[in-house]
Amino acid sequence: LYKRMQEDDLKPDSVTFSCVLRACGNIGAMRKGEEIHAEVMKMHGLLEKNSVLSNALVGMYAKCGALAKARDVFDKLPARDIVSWNSLISGFSQKGLVEDALNCLENLKREGFSPNAITFVCILKACGMSKKVHIGKQIHDEIVERGLLRGNIKLGNALVDMYAKCTDLLKAQQVLDEVPSRDIVTWSSLISGYAQQQRGADALNCFDRMQSEGLSPNAITLTCVLKACASIRALDKGK
């Protein structure tokens, strides 16, 4: 559509560029994203005046894994907001670069910004990937202190997933039991954790509890449950 628009001799504006950059990030089309970046730079002052566009640019490079470029764009922004910071933190988290993500967290606080649920979800993902459970617990304490778990299922899911990936399954189970709402992602994270640690009976128990709450398993859940069945030779349950 962007190409057709240009063929019609219509000039893109900041909204057009923001949407196209988001599309590039979603499919990992960094080369096209770089072309769009070059076009944006030709329109003097456009990037400096529009925070949504600048955030989309940081987000595009971060999603494409080009973290040096994302950081370069970020550092040159005349003004940053929590969305800018979250885009950069998300990029570091996707790569499991927990120290870089945590440095960003400290710097955003230093600049007077308050991390939100999205910030913490990204940080927890980095902690899980790098098995930094002690840092994850610190983040957990801050989340509880600020009351962010109420009504935010994604944050609860991120906590369960972080503890499960760090093999602290007791804590993962405790969080699942305490969150005000849970979904298939919450249960699948815990079931996966038990299955990975060869605790088949616990995984199957969670599976039964999940179904008793009226939730239907997805492909990820079933894959983990089958692994659990194999670990305890529960052939009938597997069938």
Side-chain angles (χ1 to χ4, degrees), residues 199-220:
R199 293 174 58 176
D202 291 313
L204 293 178
N205 180 51
C206 283
F207 183 65
D208 291 339
R209 282 185 59 195
M210 181 196 78
Q211 289 183 303
S212 73
E213 292 187 2
L215 292 169
S216 297
N218 59 21
I220 295 173

Side-chain angles (χ1 to χ4, degrees), residues 1-31:
L1 285 173
Y2 178 68
K3 185 178 179 182
R4 285 178 58 191
M5 185 191 78
Q6 289 177 307
E7 290 169 354
D8 286 344
D9 292 326
L10 293 170
K11 288 187 176 181
D13 60 10
S14 61
V15 176
T16 319
F17 284 132
S18 297
C19 293
V20 176
L21 286 168
R22 193 172 297 116
C24 290
N26 288 340
I27 62 172
M30 193 178 83
R31 186 170 297 179

Side-chain angles (χ1 to χ4, degrees), residues 158-228:
L159 277 169
V160 173
D161 186 63
M162 182 275 294
Y163 282 121
K165 281 187 168 66
C166 292
T167 69
D168 191 342
L169 296 171
L170 181 64
K171 194 68 176 177
Q173 179 77 65
Q174 181 184 338
V175 173
L176 181 140
D177 290 336
E178 291 177 354
V179 289
S181 56
R182 47 191 178 236
D183 59 12
I184 187 64
V185 177
T186 329
W187 281 106
S188 294
S189 294
L190 184 58
I191 290 169
S192 174
Y194 279 130
Q196 291 292 334
Q197 294 300 307
Q198 303 293 306
R199 293 174 58 176
D202 291 313
L204 293 178
N205 180 51
C206 283
F207 183 65
D208 291 339
R209 282 185 59 195
M210 181 196 78
Q211 289 183 303
S212 73
E213 292 187 2
L215 292 169
S216 297
N218 59 21
I220 295 173
T221 323
L222 293 170
T223 300
C224 295
V225 172
L226 287 168
K227 183 174 182 176

